[in-house]
Amino acid sequence: MSVNEERRKKRKPSKECGKWEDSRVVSGIFQATIMATGQLFSPTTQALFYNYKQLPIQRMLDFDFLCGRETPSVAGIINPGAEGFQKLFFGQEEIAIPVHSTIEAACAAHPTADVFINFASYRSAAASSLAALKQPTIRVIAIIAEGVPEADTKQLIAYARANNKVVIGPATVGGIQAGAFKIGDTAGTIDNIIHCKLYRPGSVGFVSKSGGMSNELYNTIARVTDGIYEGIAIGGDVFPGSTLSDHVLRFNNIPKVKMMVVLGELGGRDEYSLVEALKQGKINKPVVAWVSGTCASLFKSEVQFGHAGAKSGGEMESAQAKNQALRDAGAVVPTSYEAFETAIKETFEKLVEEGKITPVKEVTPPQIPEDLNTAIKSGKVRAPTHIISTISDDRGEEPCYAGVPMSSIVERGFGVGDVISLLWFKRSLPRYCTQFIEICIMLCADHGPCVSGAHNTIVTARAGKDLVSSLVSGLLTIGPRFGGAIDDAARYFKDAYDRGLSPYEFVEGMKKKGIRVPGIGHRIKRGDNRDKRVELLQRFAHTHFPSVKYMEYAVQVETYTLSKANNLVLNVDGAIGSLFLDLLAGSGMFTQPEIDEIVEIGYLNGLFVLARSIGLIGHTFDQKRLKQPLYRHPWEDVLYTK
């Protein structure tokens, strides 16, 4: 059984990450003890993460698992204005990390979390950092943002020092205690962490201004020593929250740190505080140091390097002067950066020979489960998709409807009918077809407030319900008795025509089955008072359609039914159903199986649903605009009977 498996069996986690069992007690005495020993972090350190970023947090949790931690290092997330949980992985287990809307709420909920990792932008980093520093539970703050105003940084530094707290940054990647805790993206990917042996503690304390160069030095130190115990990147701004010497002095008080490696850079005078500490005998462990930027002397004018603070303001701030001062103070300073690795190696080997270092035994870190998306991209696994879509694609620079880019739809002057043809039928239909679709939508948009769908919407709107609820109330009324007969009309007319039935055979056959003929009959309209909408549709079809065989058949059926009763006229459902059959068959763009499928799965009723939604929304707005009260049906309109 691996170390991780044993620890997972012992712990009793709640699914809410912020509630993992932890016996630590945060107190002034505890903090003072930590500072006296120089220790910032431990295998039980937990942090609050400000301004949610998925990747840095997941990397922290993966590092936790790699090190065999029993508890996740991220206790909670602070996202101003948001609350809830964020799902992440702790090894193979999915956990929910609490999200809090304020720093105060997060600190109250997680009193054992004493590190504040601030991923806010430079605009708000200072204010949020100061708010965190004022919390009694917060002891260490890491400020990732670059460009924090210098005046704000000075205020943070003063407050932190007055209250025995530590600021790392601004403009930092963070820090790491090997085998225990890491801040955000420190040390990069898991592969790099494993390569640099950061999953277990070594004997070297490392501090640098540069986060990028920290990764390089972690690698270098792992090659020639037993690895890092703790590494800190103080940040490249002019006024870092903590200095190189602050951390070297800390390392000097940590028994497990046997030597220190320092990487400075030209600009500023931070390195001279380290020089003074060496001269005063405050440091009794070997220090291997190098100040980068020696090439600046080759330029005729002053050079600004990558960091805000990497700019020489005089001879004393040059890399050469700093290197010489460190060398004179007793640090091991090589002649060039290329010789830095050798100097580290020789210092380490000397300590081993003197018996001051017993090299750490190597351990095999656990395998971090690979994310599914990563594994799929690398071709290691394959996974089925859960949804199939053939009508639209939003993966490119702009959405496409049936392969037609959105910009092309607008530039070519497409209308609603064209969009429906792309999304419903997956092809661009001729203009007369899309015009017919648009006419159907306009004619069916509304039929007054008295029809059942509109009535239900009005009653719901007057009950104070929202737009969607009112709309759905009306839409749910659509069915065989209200607006849902277009598909059935098309289905029965098509079947009768294709089988060669006469109107008499068709109608009487339906009668024997006890089925009313869909698309025939109206409550108000009569043979001598035809539905104007039907006449408009028929006129358009006669003018533009190549063939109207199904419509003509429907008219023949109407002639027969009118001989039985004057209200058995062809209604708008029947007109749309029969004419849509003519559109599908006459356009030459659909096969017979496709036409059968369109009729079968409800395309035509979709037209009525889409159209009537316009009217139902209108009725909702109308009632709300009129501020109509709750509707109650009058007693006199109800027949009360036993």
Side-chain angles (χ1 to χ4, degrees), residues 96-116:
I97 298 182
V99 177
H100 305 277
S101 60
T102 67
I103 294 171
E104 293 77 10
C107 290
H110 310 285
T112 60
D114 54 10
V115 177
F116 185 84

Side-chain angles (χ1 to χ4, degrees), residues 161-285:
R161 291 186 175 175
N163 290 274
N164 195 28
K165 300 191 178 189
V166 177
V167 175
I168 303 172
T172 180
V173 71
I176 185 168
Q177 182 176 321
F181 177 83
K182 92 179 186 88
I183 294 171
D185 289 316
T186 302
T189 65
I190 287 297
D191 287 341
N192 189 64
I193 287 169
I194 292 173
H195 188 70
C196 296
K197 303 176 184 177
L198 294 169
Y199 51 84
R200 51 67 171 166
S203 303
V204 180
F206 170 73
V207 62
S208 166
K209 287 188 176 180
S210 168
M213 286 303 296
S214 293
N215 280 353
E216 181 68 27
L217 265 294
Y218 292 150
N219 197 327
T220 298
I221 292 169
R223 279 199 306 269
V224 298
T225 73
D226 62 358
I228 289 289
Y229 180 83
E230 184 184 322
I232 297 289
I234 66 170
D237 277 3
V238 177
F239 297 102
S242 51
T243 64
L244 298 174
S245 59
D246 288 337
H247 293 286
V248 171
L249 289 169
R250 275 200 314 105
F251 295 156
N252 196 64
N253 291 329
I254 299 175
K256 291 184 179 180
V257 174
K258 306 299 182 182
M259 62 177 283
M260 283 82 86
V261 175
V262 179
L263 180 63
E265 63 185 22
L266 84 164
R269 302 197 175 189
D270 187 15
E271 289 81 359
Y272 288 105
S273 61
L274 178 56
V275 169
E276 289 304 310
L278 286 165
K279 286 181 176 179
Q280 293 170 14
K282 294 180 179 180
I283 301 168
N284 53 28
K285 297 176 183 179

Side-chain angles (χ1 to χ4, degrees), residues 71-120:
T71 57
S73 60
V74 181
I77 298 165
I78 304 164
N79 248 9
E83 292 183 345
F85 294 88
Q86 283 289 350
K87 295 196 302 179
L88 293 122
F89 283 101
F90 186 58
Q92 200 154 6
E93 182 182 2
E94 195 170 27
I95 60 174
I97 298 182
V99 177
H100 305 277
S101 60
T102 67
I103 294 171
E104 293 77 10
C107 290
H110 310 285
T112 60
D114 54 10
V115 177
F116 185 84
I117 302 173
N118 195 343
F119 266 75

